[in-house]
Structure formats: structure tokens, C-alpha cells
Amino acid sequence: MRILIIGASGLLGNDLLGEWGRNEIIPATSRDADIRDIAQVRQLVTHARPDWIILAAAYSDVDGGERNPELAFAVNRDGTKNVAIAANEHGAKLLYISTDYLFDGTSNRPYEPDDPIHPLNVYGMSKAAGELAVREQMKQWVVVRTSWLFGASRTCFPEKILTAADTQSELRVVDDQVGSPTYTRDLAVAIRKPIQADAHGVLNITNTGSCSWFEFAREILHKAGRRTPVFPITTADAARPARRPAYSVLSPAAPAAYGITLRSWHDALDAYLAELRQKGKLR
Ligand SMILES: NC(=O)c1ccc[n+]([C@@H]2O[C@H](COP(=O)([O-])OP(=O)(O)OC[C@H]3O[C@@H](n4cnc5c(N)ncnc54)[C@H](OP(=O)(O)O)[C@@H]3O)[C@@H](O)[C@H]2O)c1
């Protein structure tokens, strides 16, 4: 099987590369093809001749999207549509990575794949438009919705907390947004399953359990042996440009059908910190 990974230089993309054999994958970054340009995408797909395309490329700056909605929609909606068109033309199947920020956070239970979506910010709206483009263009597709990614290949929330702990006397972190932190290595392993099973439809894949950003930060500091005090604040106190859902936990029911059960985010955090230590990025 030949797998084209678009977005191979990203936080998730880097770990996807590690999970597939070198002879199975064709990694592509924005230098190989800007997904906003259908001619570049067609050329990439023609050259790669993939059985599956994993689209992990995105405009992923949630606050930046509020200042630059044209770019967010150009990449996440139009770019996704271009990839879906090229995939269709070449008979490839498409796995699109999507987000918990499709939801408005008013649910009192984890979100199921067919719950109605209602994004609160431009990023979420542009990703929703990307999902729609995939459904409209493709006969066989998989949408993997995930949340709160962290991994060792690029800057992410745990790394920012550790850097802040070493440079600031105390930290303040939002305590009224709840979600499921997800380790990109675990997600990358899990993504193999729906592809091997020739799946179709929407799947939620996150590490198990949920917490607020404050609880996540407190656990990161504790596990990394940092004593910098951390205090809870509200979303209103944080005054970020983009609105975010107060609750965006995704139900893990669907992936169980493919034999996917991810470990708890606590255990995944241990593994992530061990990876940082092994790479000499954490003392
Ligand atoms: N990060 C999270 O917490 C989170 C949560 C839920 C869902 N997701 C979703 O998970 C996926 C992976 O996210 P991530 O955090 O790994 O993203 P990331 O680290 O920001 O990486 C984004 C990737 O997209 C590529 N890209 C951006 N614009 C492009 C363009 N016009 N043409 C081609 N490639 C382009 C970048 O390539 P270059 O480096 O070459 O520019 C990079 O490889 C995305 O679909 C995101 O929406 C992320």
C-alpha cells in the first residue's frame, strides 16, 4: 500500500512518518505542493500514485484564524477540496484530520461523530468546511477528529508550559475549558487501523480521559518535577482572540470497532516526557 502524507512536517505529520515503513509512505510538505494550488496538488498525486492520502496539513493557528480568515479558509476549505478532487481523479482514498473545535461546547456528554456541529471560531468553521468538501468530493473517505495535540516534534502546549515554568515565577492557565489531550505518537499508531480496515466515515480518536488546560499544566509540571506555582484563571481572564468551546471531549465509541483504544492522557504524557528526555530536550 502506498500512503501519501500531506503535512509531513507538522506536529502530527512528523509522527505519522515514524509509524509507516519508509517504503510505504510518500511524505509531502508545503514545499512539495501548496494545497491551495490545485495544479501543484494534481502534480504531487500523479507523481506519488497513492492508495491512500492522509491530509494532516492545515492552517492550525486558532487565534491567527480570527485575524486572517481568508488564509484559514484558503488552506482548510479550498486546500482540502483540491486534495479531495485530486484523490478522486487518481482513485485514491482520503483520510482527513479534523478537530474537536467543530463543536460549541454546550454538550454535557462526550460528542459523538454524528452530533450536530457548531464551531465558535474561524479555525473551526474552516475545518468544518474542509470536512464538507471531503464528503462532497469523495466516495470513500475517513474523517479522524482529534483534540489538544501534543508531541515532541514541534512546539505544543506542554513544551510551552515547561518553558514558561523555567522563565516565569508563576503561571496562570485557563481552567474552564475541558478536553482530551492527545499524544501525536498514539494518534499516528491508531490511524493505521482505519486505513488497514478500508474504513469509511467519521472517527473520534483521542487519548482517554479529560481535563482542563489548568489540570493539564499542573500535571505536566508535577511529572516534570517543576515547582513553579500554577494558578487557575477563566477564559474571560485569558482574553484570547478566538472563542473556544468550554467542553470538547470526543466520544471514543466509534474507534473501538476498529480495535482502537488509546491509553489515558496521563500515561501518554509520561511517554511524551520520556521522549523529550531521550531527545535531550528535557532535563
Ligand atoms: N494541534 C492541535 O492541537 C490539533 C487539535 C485537533 C486537530 N488538529 C488537526 O490535526 C492536523 C495536524 O495538526 P498539527 O498540529 O500537526 O499542524 P501543524 O503542526 O501546524 O502542521 C501543519 C502542517 O500543514 C502544512 N501546511 C500548512 N499550510 C499548507 C499549505 N498551504 N499547503 C501545504 N501544506 C501546508 C505545514 O507545512 P509546512 O511546515 O511545510 O508549512 C505543516 O506540515 C490538522 O488538520 C489540525 O487541524 C490539530
Side-chain angles (χ1 to χ4, degrees):
M1 189 140 61
R2 289 169 64 80
I3 317 282
L4 172 62
I5 298 177
I6 301 182
S9 57
L11 184 63
L12 174 62
N14 265 292
D15 281 339
L16 283 168
L17 298 189
E19 286 313 318
W20 297 86
R22 283 279 147 189
N23 53 351
E24 296 174 299
I25 52 159
I26 305 104
T29 71
S30 59
R31 282 199 214 139
D32 300 299
D34 184 327
I35 61 172
R36 292 171 294 175
D37 181 339
I38 192 155
Q40 291 185 31
V41 177
R42 280 192 168 120
Q43 195 175 32
L44 174 70
V45 175
T46 305
H47 200 72
R49 293 177 290 107
D51 301 298
W52 277 88
I53 299 172
I54 301 178
L55 180 53
Y59 179 86
S60 62
D61 179 351
V62 178
D63 288 323
E66 302 299 306
R67 292 184 295 271
N68 210 342
E70 294 81 11
L71 181 57
F73 276 97
V75 177
N76 294 344
R77 177 194 57 204
D78 306 341
T80 302
K81 183 175 177 184
N82 290 340
V83 173
I85 289 170
N88 227 2
E89 287 170 355
H90 291 270
K93 296 159 190 169
L94 178 61
L95 186 149
Y96 175 67
I97 309 293
S98 191
T99 173
D100 56 327
Y101 281 6
L102 299 179
F103 296 108
D104 63 12
T106 54
S107 178
N108 52 14
R109 52 142 181 89
Y111 284 99
E112 299 293 340
D114 52 4
D115 279 341
I117 62 170
H118 181 220
L120 298 178
N121 54 47
V122 167
Y123 165 76
M125 289 174 209
S126 66
K127 292 293 292 184
E131 281 199 13
L132 186 64
V134 171
R135 288 167 192 254
E136 284 178 351
Q137 299 297 327
M138 307 282 306
K139 278 198 284 292
Q140 188 173 354
W141 49 266
V142 174
V143 168
V144 169
R145 292 183 184 152
T146 189
S147 62
W148 294 26
L149 294 184
F150 63 98
S153 69
R154 267 198 179 196
T155 306
C156 58
F157 180 78
E159 192 188 301
K160 285 182 190 157
I161 289 294
L162 291 168
T163 304
D166 291 344
T167 53
Q168 296 171 25
S169 56
E170 58 181 45
L171 309 183
R172 292 173 196 283
V173 180
V174 168
D175 194 28
D176 55 1
Q177 291 169 30
V178 171
S180 299
T182 301
Y183 185 30
T184 44
R185 271 189 187 271
D186 289 353
L187 177 60
V189 172
I191 280 174
R192 284 188 81 102
K193 295 267 174 60
I195 289 185
Q196 284 164 341
D198 214 23
H200 174 73
V202 179
L203 281 180
N204 297 334
I205 308 184
T206 67
N207 279 117
T208 315
S210 59
C211 59
S212 71
W213 290 111
F214 165 72
E215 290 165 334
F216 191 26
R218 194 176 51 188
E219 196 68 1
I220 292 161
L221 296 173
H222 173 69
K223 284 182 186 292
R226 301 297 195 270
R227 290 169 188 273
T228 312
V230 55
F231 298 103
I233 59 168
T234 65
T235 298
D237 291 334
R240 301 283 291 270
R243 290 177 69 201
R244 287 165 168 80
Y247 177 86
S248 60
V249 179
L250 302 175
S251 162
Y258 296 96
I260 301 170
T261 345
L262 267 59
R263 58 185 152 184
S264 71
W265 68 262
H266 293 268
D267 291 348
L269 179 58
D270 284 332
Y272 162 78
L273 293 172
E275 187 184 351
L276 287 189
R277 285 194 190 95
Q278 194 211 340
K279 291 184 164 158
K281 291 183 174 179
L282 181 68
R283 58 180 168 77

